């Protein structure tokens, strides 16, 4: 099985924390799809994407099973990171190595035995589209802010890992341009799964999976119904972003221009 | 009875991995647990309370814990057999990275923490070289890139090692460890178990308590700063 041939991921239901079967038949995720996983703290959001990350085979607490192109994937596909079609970016994801951005990405490129030199620069350029704080090639990884690190990891997942499925666990707290990230990942035909508490990300996703008590409680596909809400949240989010930049720049905010 | 040897640097997650193994196989399997540490260990008490299994600990004091492990192991096997154990888990402190506690007729599990830094695999070649499985813990805390580089480096040290990445607290990804445990042959003949590797060369006078600095003051295997070759000075 080759990465390019990935068509879809299928999630087969498991059980809730009380041992009751989940009330869905299957969830199919195709390239370019966006899903958000929502629900209260402890409802099983992280467990849901962790199942996808490790290709659960009825062998996790949730008893879910994940199929690739309709069948259970071969072992090397799951275990060899260079073949694994999933990149997970968690809240905890940090870089511990005391390396420069350039060295860090170079190390990853070499471990994947890619010979492309241009990819390092392209990754840095892409990462800079996701964050307002400029990342330079010579900056030390350990000195990057949360938002910079997250932006770089996402760019790394897109261009170096080149994983067709990207899982993001609560990226919103990191101060990155969420819409940019979503549209960029969509343009690259990635399947995107967000665990999120953020209204904008939830509304911008094609499907919303609502978790409750360890299981999938509901699957919403709002389509056009939330158009008005999306417009409003997008404007508000822009305003907040501008304010954040102004506050960072040490300015006083005397008027608010938001509809 | 199956023998599992778990070794790795301090705080790598050895006990956390042992807990996951115990959880996986209780209550249908009888498990005994032995901890070997230098001066202080609490695992025996904690695991006995948590799982109600027979546990023991051994302090190695001034001696390398891996060496003490070898000394006590045949007694430990007898003890576990008396307890009618199906699995004996031995957790070694693994402080001395020259030695490797892995044995014949057992499953050698080396536990390495991914947050120890990407050069760690090179420093642990003795242990990585002789184990069957490397369990890389704390992968929940590092980036995808570092995870991949860490794996590459372990492969460089021992290409035939089965590498399992896990968040050991949650037990993610351990299905391949469990499969290896299930496939492991039981101990056939305890009397013929031996160390897999050759122990490090000899003993030096620092080992026996001589405290002066400078090679001029010592015997056995000695070297100077600039001459990388060890030489042997008698007596
Ligand atoms: N986040 C995270 N923490 C872990 C993981 N594995 C272990 N820990 C934590 O790391 C600490 C040390 O784990 P132990 O299992 O006690 O390590 P050990 O190797 O048995 O330590 P010693 O026996 O004292 O040498 C504990 O606080 C664990 O909860 C992991 O995969 N992820
Ligand atoms: N179906 C299930 N059966 C049993 N346990 C479960 C199930 N789903 C999740 N859990 C467990 O419940 C705990 C909380 O789940 P999880 O961490 O996924 O919640 P979360 O929604 O991500 O919470 P937060 O918003 O705080 O990040 C975890 O220990 C997880 O393993
Ligand atoms: Mg979570
Ligand atoms: Mg321990
Ligand atoms: Zn030793």
């Amino acid at each position: 099985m080759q990465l390019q041939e990935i068509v879809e991921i299928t999630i087969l239901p498991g059980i809730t924390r009380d041992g009751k079967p989940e009330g869905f038949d299957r969830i199919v995720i195709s390239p370019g799809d966006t899903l958000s996983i929502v629900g209260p703290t402890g409802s099983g959001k992280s467990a849901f994407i962790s199942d996808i990350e490790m290709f659960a085979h009825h062998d996790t607490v949730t008893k879910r099973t994940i199929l690739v192109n309709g069948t259970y994937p071969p072992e090397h596909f799951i275990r060899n990171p260079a073949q694994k079609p999933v990149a997970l970016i968690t809240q905890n994801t940090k870089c511990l190595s005391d390396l420069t951005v350039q060295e860090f990405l170079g190390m990853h490129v070499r471990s994947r035995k890619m010979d492309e030199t241009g990819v390092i620069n392209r990754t840095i350029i892409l990462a800079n589209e996701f964050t307002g704080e400029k990342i330079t090639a010579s900056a030390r990884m350990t000195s990057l802010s949360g938002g910079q690190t997250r932006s770089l990891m996402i760019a790394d997942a897109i261009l170096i890992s080149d994983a067709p499925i990207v899982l993001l666990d609560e990226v919103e707290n990191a101060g990155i341009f969420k819409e940019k990230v979503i549209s960029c990942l969509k343009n690259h035909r990635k399947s995107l799964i967000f665990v999120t508490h953020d209204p904008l990300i939830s509304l911008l996703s094609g499907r919303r999976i609502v978790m409750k008590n360890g299981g999938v409680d509901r699957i919403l596909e709002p389509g056009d119904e939330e158009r008005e809400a999306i417009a409003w949240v997008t404007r508000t989010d822009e305003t907040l972003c501008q304010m954040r930049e102004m506050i960072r720049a040490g300015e006083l905010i005397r008027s608010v221009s938001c509809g | 009875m199956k023998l599992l040897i778990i070794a790795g640097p301090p705080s790598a997650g050895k006990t956390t991995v042992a807990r996951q193994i115990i959880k996986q196989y209780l209550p249908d399997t009888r498990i005994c647990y032995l901890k070997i540490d230098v001066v202080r260990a609490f695992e025996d008490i904690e695991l006995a309370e948590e799982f109600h299994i027979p546990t023991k600990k051994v302090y190695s004091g001034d001696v390398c814990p891996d060496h003490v492990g070898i000394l006590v192991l045949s007694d430990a096997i007898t003890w576990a057999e008396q307890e009618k154990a199906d699995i004996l888990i031995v957790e070694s402190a693994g402080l001395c990275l020259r030695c490797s506690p892995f044995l014949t007729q057992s499953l050698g599990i080396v536990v390495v923490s991914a947050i120890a830094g990407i050069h760690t695999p090179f420093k642990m070649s003795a242990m990585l070289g002789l184990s069957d499985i490397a369990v890389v813990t704390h992968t929940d805390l590092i980036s995808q890139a570092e995870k991949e580089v860490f794996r590459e480096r372990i492969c460089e040290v021992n290409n035939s090692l089965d590498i399992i990445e896990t968040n050991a607290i949650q037990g993610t990804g351990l299905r391949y460890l469990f499969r290896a445990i299930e496939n492991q042959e039981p101990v056939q003949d305890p009397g013929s178990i031996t160390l897999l590797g050759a122990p490090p060369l000899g003993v030096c006078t620092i080992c026996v308590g001589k405290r002066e600095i400078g090679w001029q003051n010592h015997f056995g295997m000695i070297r100077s700063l600039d001459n990388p070759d060890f030489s042997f000075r008698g007596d």
Side-chain angles (χ1 to χ4, degrees):
Chain A
M1 206 182 291
Q2 290 293 306
L3 290 189
Q4 291 81 344
E5 293 169 20
I6 295 265
V7 184
E8 55 181 35
I9 294 276
T10 305
I11 301 162
L12 299 179
I15 52 169
T16 66
R17 203 172 276 118
D18 306 328
K20 297 207 186 78
E22 285 180 296
F24 67 92
D25 186 38
R26 53 181 55 215
I27 298 172
V28 178
I29 304 167
S30 306
D33 281 4
T34 49
L35 283 83
S36 56
I37 319 295
V38 301
T41 292
S43 58
K45 302 182 294 294
S46 298
F48 186 88
I49 57 167
S50 153
D51 283 347
I52 301 175
E53 204 256 346
M54 59 204 253
F55 295 94
H57 197 187
H58 211 267
D59 56 357
T60 58
V61 278
T62 67
K63 301 278 185 254
R64 290 189 192 105
T65 294
I66 311 295
L67 306 177
V68 178
N69 293 343
T71 55
Y72 195 73
E75 189 171 326
H76 64 93
F77 191 83
I78 302 170
R79 299 189 69 183
N80 182 346
Q83 293 196 14
K84 191 169 172 168
V86 173
L88 169 67
I89 297 166
T90 68
Q91 255 175 310
N92 302 326
T93 301
K94 281 193 195 79
C95 172
L96 298 154
S97 324
D98 189 23
L99 299 172
T100 64
V101 169
Q102 168 111 32
E103 287 164 345
F104 175 78
L105 295 175
M107 182 182 83
H108 192 194
V109 168
R110 276 192 304 281
S111 84
R112 290 215 150 216
K113 309 200 165 49
M114 301 165 77
D115 51 8
E116 256 239 66
T117 34
V119 75
I120 296 177
N121 273 331
R122 281 191 283 126
T123 305
I124 297 171
I125 291 166
L126 184 61
N128 275 312
E129 287 182 25
F130 301 151
T131 173
E133 315 157 73
K134 190 160 170 42
I135 305 167
T136 60
S138 59
R140 300 207 82 82
M141 288 297 297
T142 42
S143 70
L144 298 184
S145 73
Q148 288 174 318
T149 309
R150 207 63 65 87
S151 301
L152 198 65
M153 297 300 170
I154 296 171
D156 174 279
I158 296 173
L159 294 176
I160 300 178
S161 295
D162 197 18
I165 299 142
V166 182
L167 311 171
L168 298 135
D169 200 344
E170 301 192 30
V171 283
E172 57 260 25
N173 305 329
I176 54 176
F177 303 143
K178 295 163 254 188
E179 278 182 276
K180 275 262 179 62
V181 173
I182 296 181
S183 66
C184 175
L185 285 159
K186 272 187 184 164
N187 289 342
H188 280 84
R189 296 287 293 157
K190 305 289 182 196
S191 307
L192 263 185
I193 305 173
F194 292 97
V195 168
T196 186
H197 298 289
D198 183 278
L200 180 61
I201 294 182
S202 314
L203 295 181
L204 286 178
S205 315
R207 260 178 292 174
R208 213 143 77 219
I209 299 197
V210 187
M211 304 298 298
K212 190 177 158 187
N213 196 24
V216 172
D217 185 46
R218 240 180 273 176
I219 304 167
L220 303 177
E221 229 176 312
D224 238 15
E225 286 178 64
E226 293 181 327
R227 198 172 357 118
E228 209 180 309
I230 293 175
W232 188 83
V233 175
T234 309
R235 277 197 311 274
T236 311
D237 193 68
E238 270 165 27
T239 309
L240 287 175
C241 280
Q242 280 165 14
M243 268 191 199
R244 194 175 297 126
E245 291 309 315
M246 289 168 75
I247 289 169
R248 257 204 261 255
E251 292 169 35
L252 274 178
I253 300 167
R254 293 201 179 83
S255 67
V256 178
S257 56
C258 176
Chain B
M1 182 180 71
K2 297 181 184 189
L3 178 56
L4 314 183
I5 311 278
I6 303 181
S11 300
K14 300 180 291 294
T15 308
T16 313
V17 170
R19 267 203 180 83
Q20 295 292 353
I21 297 174
I22 296 168
K23 260 192 232 162
Q24 172 77 7
Y25 294 114
L26 285 183
D28 306 330
T29 308
R30 269 191 73 81
I31 302 177
C32 284
Y33 169 91
L34 169 68
K35 165 76 182 181
I36 299 162
D37 209 316
V38 182
V39 278
R40 289 289 261 168
F42 308 97
E43 283 92 338
D44 57 324
I45 301 161
E46 288 168 9
L47 295 182
E49 270 177 16
E50 193 175 338
F51 298 110
H52 310 287
I53 58 169
T55 65
K56 266 190 198 297
K57 79 177 143 217
V58 170
Y59 289 140
S60 68
D62 292 337
V63 184
C64 166
D66 290 338
H67 297 195
V68 170
I70 304 307
L71 296 177
V72 302
L73 204 88
S74 58
D75 292 348
I77 290 175
T78 310
W79 161 66
E81 277 176 340
Q82 277 164 2
E83 294 283 352
K84 304 216 170 3
D86 304 301
I87 298 179
L88 169 59
I89 301 175
V90 179
E91 177 182 330
S92 163
L95 292 173
C96 156
L97 297 179
R98 304 171 308 168
C99 297
S100 170
F102 300 117
L103 307 169
T104 57
Q105 298 182 50
S106 65
L107 187 68
I109 303 166
V110 60
V111 178
V112 204
S113 165
I115 57 174
I118 49 173
H119 299 304
T120 309
F122 295 140
K123 300 176 189 172
M124 291 177 53
S125 43
M127 253 190 236
L128 289 173
L130 293 170
S131 58
D132 301 300
I133 293 181
V135 177
V136 181
T137 59
H138 295 86
T139 52
D140 49 313
L141 300 179
I142 62 162
S143 60
Q144 177 80 21
E146 284 169 301
K147 215 188 297 185
E148 288 176 28
V149 172
F150 207 84
R151 172 176 273 267
E152 274 296 306
R153 303 240 155 128
I154 294 177
C155 284
E156 273 177 50
V157 176
N158 180 353
N159 196 22
S160 61
L161 206 52
D162 198 5
I163 303 171
I164 292 163
E165 282 134 357
T166 184
N167 168 352
I169 296 178
Q170 301 266 343
T172 56
L174 290 179
R175 59 162 84 112
Y176 304 109
L177 174 65
F178 299 147
R179 187 177 61 193
I181 292 173
E182 277 141 35
N183 292 341
Q184 173 63 30
E185 291 291 322
V187 172
Q188 293 299 327
D189 170 22
S192 67
I193 296 179
T194 61
L195 264 181
L196 280 178
L201 268 180
V203 176
C204 62
T205 36
I206 300 137
C207 295
V208 297
K210 223 168 166 296
R211 293 161 69 178
E212 294 84 350
I213 59 164
W215 54 268
Q216 297 88 342
N217 291 313
H218 291 276
F219 300 98
M221 299 302 293
I222 55 170
R223 64 160 286 177
S224 64
L225 177 62
D226 293 326
N227 183 353
D229 298 322
F230 280 91
S231 58
F232 184 80
R233 188 151 77 183
D235 246 15

